[in-house]
């Protein structure tokens, strides 16, 4: 009986094929929008997580002041090299400490020039910041102590100054002095904040301080924690040590911050997840519109087929059989819209993920949930028209013109 009812429903849908297609359009668009937005949101979350991981997973960043962004030091004093040495000597769980001084500079190779960021640091920087070399070497201790004019460049700087040539061993001009390129960094791509991580030139700290910044101040320093050690414990030790060295009273407020890359990752991923859920909820409103469209068309169908319903009831069809027939029609329409929406969403997600440069992550759960939800819409919005059809008086229905 159920199979016959299903065939009758399909026959009724095929009888008004164009109307059926237009009826399912609202469900198709709603399902496609929800799946596409959730899929792209998951891809964006994965992209942010990967970009944070490229910075170093067990990394702490210590900066002066309490505010983030430009001018965020709040007039707090910068760090000194003695602070770096104290961290290295007094915190046992630290595997590397890298002071960082940034300076925007123009670099020149023959007729080509490029504005980039010069990073002054030590050899620990490459380990702490999770950099690996594509070719060449990093600077050695003697070059660090002497402040030699040597540098390691990122892929973006290489592309603008050397094209696809190997830059190792070449001389470039940094501001007003020549610098030997001793290494090339492997590409990391875009960072979570949108900046190009490969647009960088790394030099010994003393070289940058003497020749570019003209100051012994250190803008920030990065700390890597040994594998298996507690990040929270090291963080507490850093706070205690820096408060002592900066002579902050017991009741005084910190004039520095210790940022954890794990917390940065959690904050950014939670933000993208919230935005994904919000956009998905907005897109789901179109499903409500699609459901109303199905109800409207089913009511029209009941009105058009009043005489047919009367004949069926008169020759012995039960009310439940009529109810089931119209309910199945509504469910088939909405489920068909759900399937078409999933196919449309798959194509849109793949294309947009490539365009946005985020990974495409197929989520079977959201696709299955969307299909079930589309069928449920058919049940909810198809029940009232089906109930109306089943409750028709056979005599009145037969008289209907």
């Amino acid at each position: 009986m159920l199979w016959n009812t299903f065939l009758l429903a399909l026959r009724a849908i095929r009888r008004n094929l164009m109307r059926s297609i237009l009826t399912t359009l609202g469900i198709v668009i709603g399902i496609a929008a929800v799946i596409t937005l959730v899929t792209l949101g998951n891809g964006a979350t994965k992209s942010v997580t990967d970009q944070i991981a490229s910075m170093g997973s067990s990394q702490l960043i210590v900066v002066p002041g309490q505010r983030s962004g430009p001018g965020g030091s709040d007039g707090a004093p910068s760090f000194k090299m003695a602070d770096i040495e104290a961290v290295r000597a007094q915190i046992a769980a630290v595997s590397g400490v890298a002071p960082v001084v940034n300076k925007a500079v123009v670099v020149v190779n023959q007729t080509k020039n490029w504005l980039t960021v010069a990073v002054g640091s030590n050899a620990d920087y490459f380990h702490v910041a999770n950099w690996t070399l594509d070719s060449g070497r990093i600077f050695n201790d003697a070059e660090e102590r002497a402040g030699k004019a040597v540098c390691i460049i990122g892929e973006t700087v290489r592309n603008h100054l050397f094209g696809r040539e190997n830059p190792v061993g070449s001389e470039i001009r940094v501001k007003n002095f020549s610098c030997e390129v001793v290494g090339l960094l492997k590409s990391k791509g875009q960072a979570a904040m949108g900046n190009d991580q490969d647009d960088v030139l790394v030099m010994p700290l003393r070289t940058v301080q003497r020749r570019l910044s003209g100051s012994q101040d250190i803008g920030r320093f990065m700390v890597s924690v040994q594998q298996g050690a507690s990040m929270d414990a090291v963080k507490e030790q850093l706070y205690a040590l820096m408060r002592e060295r900066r002579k902050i009273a017991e009741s005084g407020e910190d004039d520095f911050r210790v940022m954890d890359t794990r917390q940065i990752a959690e904050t950014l991923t939670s933000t993208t997840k919230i935005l994904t859920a919000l956009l998905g909820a907005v897109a789901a409103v179109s499903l409500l519109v699609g459901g109303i469209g199905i109800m409207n068309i089913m009511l029209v169908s009941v009105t058009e087929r009043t005489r047919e319903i009367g004949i069926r009831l008169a020759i012995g069809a039960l009310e439940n059989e009529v109810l089931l027939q119209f309910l199945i029609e509504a469910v088939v329409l909405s489920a068909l819209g759900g399937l078409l929406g999933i196919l449309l969403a798959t194509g849109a997600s793949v294309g947009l993920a490539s365009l946005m440069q985020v990974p495409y992550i197929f989520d079977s759960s959201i696709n299955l949930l969307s299909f079930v939800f589309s069928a449920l819409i058919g049940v909810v919005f198809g029940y009232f028209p089906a109930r109306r059809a089943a409750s028709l008086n056979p005599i009145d229905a037969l008289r209907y013109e």
Side-chain angles (χ1 to χ4, degrees):
M1 190 269 287
L2 187 62
W3 177 249
N4 288 334
T5 306
F6 180 73
L7 291 177
L8 283 171
L10 286 179
R11 194 177 304 151
I13 291 171
R14 194 167 59 247
R15 191 185 305 158
N16 296 286
L17 188 59
M18 181 56 69
R19 187 172 71 183
S20 300
I21 292 172
L22 293 175
T23 302
T24 61
L25 198 57
I27 301 295
V28 171
I29 294 172
I31 292 293
V34 170
I35 295 176
T36 301
L37 288 172
V38 170
T39 301
L40 292 176
N42 290 339
T45 301
K46 178 67 165 56
S47 178
V48 168
T49 304
D50 291 344
Q51 288 166 2
I52 293 293
S54 73
M55 294 170 56
S57 56
S58 300
Q59 183 190 117
L60 297 171
I61 305 171
V62 187
V63 296
Q66 286 293 317
R67 289 190 303 168
S68 58
S73 64
D74 296 326
S78 300
F79 301 108
K80 301 296 182 183
M81 197 61 200
D83 297 322
I84 312 301
E85 298 300 336
V87 171
R88 185 179 282 113
Q90 297 182 39
I91 302 180
V94 164
S95 62
V97 186
V100 176
V101 174
N102 288 346
K103 192 71 176 177
V105 293
V106 174
V107 290
V108 180
N109 176 43
Q110 297 178 1
T111 59
K112 299 176 182 177
N113 62 79
W114 181 248
L115 176 64
T116 187
V117 176
V119 176
S121 191
N122 57 16
D124 282 355
Y125 174 78
F126 303 95
H127 160 65
V128 176
N130 200 30
W131 281 107
T132 54
L133 290 180
D134 189 52
S135 61
R137 63 175 178 86
I138 63 174
F139 37 77
N140 54 44
D141 291 340
E143 290 168 334
E144 282 184 47
R145 289 193 299 270
K148 290 287 291 295
V150 292
C151 61
I152 298 98
I153 65 174
E155 185 65 27
T156 300
V157 179
R158 190 271 284 267
N159 288 337
H160 283 90
L161 295 187
F162 296 95
R164 302 311 301 168
E165 295 178 10
N166 187 351
V168 176
S170 302
E171 294 273 342
I172 61 174
R173 192 168 79 251
V174 180
K175 199 173 180 181
N176 56 2
F177 64 94
S178 294
C179 183
E180 181 188 358
V181 179
V182 297
L184 173 66
L185 298 168
K186 273 191 177 178
S187 177
K188 279 190 182 183
Q190 195 176 55
M193 303 299 182
N195 57 302
D196 183 3
Q197 296 184 89
D198 300 323
D199 192 3
V200 67
L201 177 146
V202 186
M203 307 175 74
L205 177 65
R206 289 191 178 181
T207 307
V208 173
Q209 288 177 331
R210 291 175 181 174
R211 301 189 182 222
L212 296 177
S213 69
S215 167
Q216 298 298 308
D217 293 341
I218 294 171
R220 70 178 191 274
F221 66 90
M222 302 185 299
V223 175
S224 63
V225 180
Q226 292 177 0
Q227 191 172 3
S230 169
M231 290 277 285
D232 294 330
V234 174
K235 199 172 180 179
E236 289 179 10
Q237 293 174 48
L238 272 172
Y239 268 111
L241 179 60
M242 287 296 102
R243 284 180 65 87
E244 178 186 340
R245 293 194 58 82
R246 293 165 83 83
K247 297 179 173 56
I248 300 174
E250 188 173 340
S251 59
E253 293 184 358
D254 296 328
D255 61 357
F256 64 95
R257 287 174 296 144
V258 180
M259 298 185 293
D260 187 342
T261 50
R262 296 176 308 172
Q263 293 176 338
I264 296 173
E266 288 170 3
T267 300
L268 289 174
T269 52
S270 65
T271 301
T272 56
K273 285 177 180 177
I274 290 170
L275 288 174
T276 299
L278 180 62
L279 291 172
V282 171
V285 173
S286 60
L287 290 174
L288 179 63
V289 176
I292 293 171
I294 287 177
M295 179 185 284
N296 182 43
I297 292 301
M298 291 306 298
L299 285 170
V300 171
S301 181
V302 169
T303 303
E304 288 178 347
R305 294 156 62 189
T306 300
R307 191 175 182 83
E308 174 194 326
I309 295 167
I311 293 171
R312 289 196 63 198
L313 291 171
I315 63 176
L318 301 175
E319 286 189 11
N320 285 343
E321 291 174 345
V322 175
L323 172 70
L324 190 61
Q325 178 188 346
F326 281 88
L327 198 57
I328 287 177
E329 282 186 36
V331 171
V332 168
L333 281 173
S334 59
L336 181 62
L339 285 174
L340 292 174
I342 290 171
L343 292 175
L344 179 61
T346 301
S349 298
V350 172
L352 289 173
S354 176
L355 188 65
M356 296 170 60
Q357 297 183 338
V358 298
Y360 168 71
I361 302 173
F362 178 76
D363 188 345
S364 58
S365 60
I366 187 63
N367 284 269
L368 180 61
L369 183 64
S370 296
F371 177 73
V372 171
F373 192 67
S374 67
L376 186 62
I377 285 174
V379 174
V380 172
F381 287 93
Y383 180 79
F384 176 70
R387 181 74 263 173
R388 181 178 175 181
S391 62
L392 284 175
N393 186 309
I395 297 174
D396 293 336
L398 286 170
R399 289 176 182 163
Y400 184 82
E401 293 296 337

